Amino acid sequence: MTELQWPKRTLIRVGLLVGFCTSLTLAQAPVVRIGIALDGPSERNVGVRSVFEREIGIMLEEGFNVQFPPEKRLEADWTAAGVQAVIDRLLADPEVDLLLALGMLTSNELARRSLLPKPVFAPFVVSRGLQGIPSEIPERSLSRSGELERIRVSGVPNLSYVTFGGDLIRDL
């Protein structure tokens, strides 16, 4: 063995060892499987879903192995009964850790439920007042700067939602 071959082989072995250890660390990150409920078939579903999947993946990539199993992406049929059925199925599915509602109908249905067996995120709530969606202001809410600010939370365990800006009832 020549002098140049020994460091090269050692570097290759060290590189393989580092790669192996890194893959073990990644494999040990907690897996989060996210189910997606859609209001119904639409040509926009793929675009909206892709944006949410990408952004959620980026936000959680350092601490979690985030998965969006294709078989856990369910489309309702644009009816209240269809939306309820899709949501019930995903909430009951032990292979879904979190439910994402990508539509106004699915967001409304989830945000109006009082018992949620797993975390849900409803990003398309139009007006919590008009829709009768729970909201409360905690007694003390501190901002990052340490100042008191009034924020609203759902008050329902496992429910997070986002409302569009403004007051729809006042605006109407």
Side-chain angles (χ1 to χ4, degrees):
M1 180 180 328
T2 67
E3 285 186 41
L4 293 177
Q5 288 177 330
W6 180 81
K8 187 176 179 181
R9 286 185 183 168
T10 302
L11 287 175
I12 290 171
R13 288 181 182 144
V14 169
L16 289 172
L17 180 61
V18 169
F20 178 72
C21 290
T22 301
S23 67
L24 281 179
T25 302
L26 290 175
Q28 293 175 353
V31 173
V32 176
R33 296 164 305 210
I34 300 177
I36 297 176
L38 297 149
D39 292 350
S42 171
E43 59 193 38
R44 295 181 181 202
N45 284 350
V46 173
V48 171
R49 191 191 77 229
S50 296
V51 168
F52 275 87
E53 288 178 358
R54 182 180 64 245
E55 295 301 321
I56 290 169
I58 290 169
M59 283 179 21
L60 301 178
E61 70 186 348
E62 292 196 23
F64 299 92
N65 177 358
V66 180
Q67 299 174 1
F68 296 90
E71 67 277 8
K72 307 303 179 192
R73 296 177 193 147
L74 304 181
E75 289 181 345
D77 59 2
W78 297 105
T79 67
V83 166
Q84 290 171 357
V86 162
I87 288 172
D88 289 342
R89 184 170 156 196
L90 289 169
L91 287 174
D93 190 332
E95 294 180 358
V96 172
D97 301 310
L98 184 142
L99 178 54
L100 174 62
L102 292 184
M104 289 185 187
L105 297 175
T106 51
S107 289
N108 182 64
E109 173 64 26
L110 279 170
R112 296 183 69 180
R113 291 187 180 203
S114 58
L115 295 173
L116 296 165
K118 59 184 70 171
V120 303
F121 181 55
F124 294 108
V125 171
V126 178
S127 170
R128 67 179 179 273
L130 187 61
Q131 292 174 262
I133 294 174
S135 172
E136 61 184 51
I137 300 173
E139 286 185 33
R140 293 193 51 115
S141 304
L142 295 180
S143 68
R144 288 186 177 171
S145 65
E147 294 185 28
L148 191 61
E149 68 177 352
R150 294 171 56 105
I151 61 168
R152 291 190 175 273
V153 297
S154 73
V156 176
N158 287 330
L159 173 61
S160 295
Y161 66 85
V162 176
T163 60
F164 293 104
D167 183 346
L168 185 63
I169 295 173
R170 183 196 72 223
D171 294 345
L172 286 175

